[in-house]
Amino acid sequence: MSRQGNRGTEGKKMNSELFTLTYGALVTQLCKDYENDEEVNKQLDKMGYNMGVRLIEDFLARSSVGRCHDFRETADVIAKVAFKMYLGITPSVTNWSPAGDEFSLILESNPLVDFVELPDNHSGLIYSNLLCGVLRGALEMVQMAVDVKFAQDTLRGDNVTEIRMKFIKRIEESIPVGDE
Amino acid sequence: MDTRFTRGKSAILERSLTRPKTEVSLSTFALLFSEMVQYCQNRVYSVSELQAKLSELGQQVGVRILDVLVLREKNGKRETKVINVLLFIKVNVWKALFGKEADKLEQANDDDKTYYIIEKEPLINTYISVPKENSTLNCASFTAGIVEAILTYSGFPAKVTAHWHKGTTLMIKFDEAVIVRDKALDGR
């Protein structure tokens, strides 16, 4: 069937520089439009969320990944399959919490920040915050409520870029009223 | 002097401009671009304002890619002739940004200030369906902005607009002075 046909297709690729610069233009515009960095971060997260909600459909259709059985599997799929597919990079998964409900993605390179330098007057800006929104939105669509934030960022002088993900809860499918 | 230039901690200045080509998924770009269009749409009242906003965003990209490409592919030499700068856009810029040359470059028959870059299936519009009530909307305004910035910052002030004609056509209208100068250069 058509689903079978899709399997394994990588999808079309494009030069990452146009993507990087386009994202830069967007962040620049947001910095002009909003009063402070905090608001820009929020807006980036919101746009990322909208992207994530749509991206998950694309992802599930393209990859033959089934349901993940635990958060560890989810982490692996995100790092090894999804990041590879959409950004062409493979972050490493580390720093698991003992309970297995929290981990970090370490990004060696981040296509969003090529060419980017943060000016001093935007020290509160989390430049790549879009990614947090994308992860949150995509996981929400597979019934996982997750908290995502940047713990470290090379743009802000840290040695690595680290995204911290924390599992909050499984979202129960609610049955609409009057629907059995 | 801006402090960021003296801080010297930034690794970006140490990086080579000729880096191995990296790629991202077209879906990633399409989703981002869609969010951008929606964001702009929420802040404007008309199609022409929306196109102007997209063009502004494109200009941000154009002005940045110009130097990179000139250094990478032209040994740091800028173009001085109209036809050469247009070919630079059709070939080098298009290849770098969209992975292929632009389909066509034409000059208007009746006007020596006007040129067209024609693209049958522009990458930018790949996943965009234009609603009937806004049928003039062309998100390639973003690309038009890129081209406009490249021309303007190369010393060829121009207005670039996107139209639906033989696919998508970017109409380039140079300032009078650009053409006058070009003709003067021809005479030498």
Side-chain angles (χ1 to χ4, degrees), chain B residues 17-85:
Chain B
L17 273 171
T18 46
R19 253 174 282 150
K21 226 176 127 201
T22 50
E23 291 185 316
V24 297
S25 159
L26 183 56
S27 314
T28 320
F29 178 79
L31 284 165
L32 176 72
F33 190 65
S34 152
E35 280 305 310
M36 276 172 66
V37 174
Q38 290 176 59
Y39 173 79
C40 293
Q41 197 165 20
N42 285 334
R43 299 183 146 248
V44 297
Y45 297 102
S46 67
V47 169
S48 59
E49 275 181 279
L50 174 56
Q51 298 197 138
K53 261 230 144 25
L54 288 173
S55 165
E56 257 175 60
L57 288 164
Q59 289 178 39
Q60 294 270 344
V61 174
V63 65
R64 283 168 177 81
I65 204 71
L66 171 64
D67 281 339
V68 176
L69 290 181
V70 166
L71 282 169
R72 231 184 243 166
E73 304 193 6
K74 292 276 165 188
N75 275 327
K77 257 178 88 179
R78 297 278 187 101
E79 301 295 350
T80 52
K81 298 281 296 171
V82 166
I83 189 68
N84 292 343
V85 78

Side-chain angles (χ1 to χ4, degrees), chain A residues 8-76:
Chain A
T9 46
E10 276 284 289
K12 283 192 188 159
K13 297 274 181 198
M14 65 175 285
N15 181 348
S16 68
E17 283 179 2
L18 176 59
F19 173 70
T20 303
L21 290 170
T22 303
Y23 184 68
L26 172 69
V27 178
T28 311
Q29 185 64 43
L30 294 179
C31 286
K32 277 187 212 153
D33 291 347
Y34 288 91
E35 300 253 318
N36 57 48
D37 293 346
E38 199 48 47
E39 291 294 317
V40 176
N41 295 343
K42 254 190 228 157
Q43 183 62 33
L44 284 172
D45 181 83
K46 196 170 121 195
M47 294 171 108
Y49 177 84
N50 295 340
M51 286 172 66
V53 167
R54 296 172 68 188
L55 182 136
I56 189 73
E57 300 282 346
D58 187 76
F59 176 74
L60 293 175
R62 274 185 215 283
S63 66
S64 44
V65 171
R67 188 163 275 280
C68 293
H69 298 289
D70 58 22
F71 204 42
R72 282 184 186 271
E73 203 182 328
T74 310
D76 260 5

Side-chain angles (χ1 to χ4, degrees), chain B residues 102-120:
Chain B
D103 290 337
K104 272 187 197 149
L105 172 65
E106 288 177 2
Q107 179 172 17
N109 288 328
D110 49 350
D111 181 7
D112 58 1
K113 295 197 291 294
T114 308
Y115 289 81
Y116 304 105
I117 292 177
I118 301 164
E119 190 72 14
K120 258 216 207 81

Side-chain angles (χ1 to χ4, degrees), chain B residues 47 130-138 164:
Chain B
V47 169
V130 178
K132 275 225 169 59
E133 66 272 21
N134 290 342
S135 61
T136 55
L137 170 67
N138 197 325
W164 293 110

Side-chain angles (χ1 to χ4, degrees), chain A residues 59 65 68 71-86 89-91 93 103 105 135-136 138-139 144 146 148 163 165:
Chain A
F59 176 74
V65 171
C68 293
F71 204 42
R72 282 184 186 271
E73 203 182 328
T74 310
D76 260 5
V77 169
I78 290 172
K80 298 200 182 106
V81 189
F83 265 86
K84 180 104 198 88
M85 191 184 281
Y86 291 102
I89 55 170
T90 312
V93 180
F103 67 90
L105 292 168
L135 288 164
R136 194 165 54 83
L139 289 176
M144 294 171 93
V146 181
V148 190
I163 300 176
M165 308 210 18

